[in-house]
Amino acid sequence: FFVGAIFAFLNGMVYPALAYMFSTSFTSITGASEADGLENVEDVAYNFLFIGTYAMACATFQTGLMEIASTKATHSFRTQWFAALLRQDQAYFDINDVSGIATQI
């Protein structure tokens, strides 16, 4: 879970990086001469490509790790709930609907 939270933080840092890139890209493109204008556009395109790849990697790790953590937590919760159900007295099942107990999970 902790590593997934770190990747969530890193994934959230993409938006400030994009805001910075937008502001600097407009400045570098408009201030460029015609000779080096294409080079500036290529630099901006590569920077956006790098940020997009970084965002995809962070989001993939974030989603995968959080899914693993949630699957383990759900399994643990269900196991504990079923163990608590088995510890109940016989009178508990007289009061509660037996067929509805399984749907409470």
Side-chain angles (χ1 to χ4, degrees), residues 1-55:
F1 175 78
F2 182 71
V3 177
I6 290 173
F7 277 107
F9 174 77
L10 293 175
N11 191 23
M13 294 303 294
V14 168
Y15 297 109
L18 283 175
Y20 176 76
M21 283 303 304
F22 271 123
S23 66
T24 58
S25 66
F26 290 134
T27 305
S28 68
I29 290 173
T30 56
S33 65
E34 197 167 313
D36 63 342
L38 186 59
E39 184 178 321
N40 288 343
V41 172
E42 285 179 357
D43 290 341
V44 169
Y46 286 133
N47 286 336
F48 278 117
L49 180 67
F50 172 73
I51 290 176
T53 305
Y54 168 81

Side-chain angles (χ1 to χ4, degrees), residues 9 12 14 29 36 67 74 84 92 98 103:
F9 174 77
V14 168
I29 290 173
D36 63 342
E67 184 177 350
T74 302
Y92 175 80
V98 177
T103 61

Side-chain angles (χ1 to χ4, degrees), residues 37-88:
L38 186 59
E39 184 178 321
N40 288 343
V41 172
E42 285 179 357
D43 290 341
V44 169
Y46 286 133
N47 286 336
F48 278 117
L49 180 67
F50 172 73
I51 290 176
T53 305
Y54 168 81
M56 184 183 75
C58 286
T60 301
F61 282 117
Q62 172 194 350
T63 303
L65 292 171
M66 289 296 187
E67 184 177 350
I68 290 169
S70 65
T71 302
K72 287 181 179 182
T74 302
H75 178 71
S76 174
F77 173 72
R78 287 182 179 181
T79 303
Q80 291 174 5
W81 185 84
F82 189 68
L85 185 64
L86 291 177
R87 286 192 303 266
Q88 297 298 319

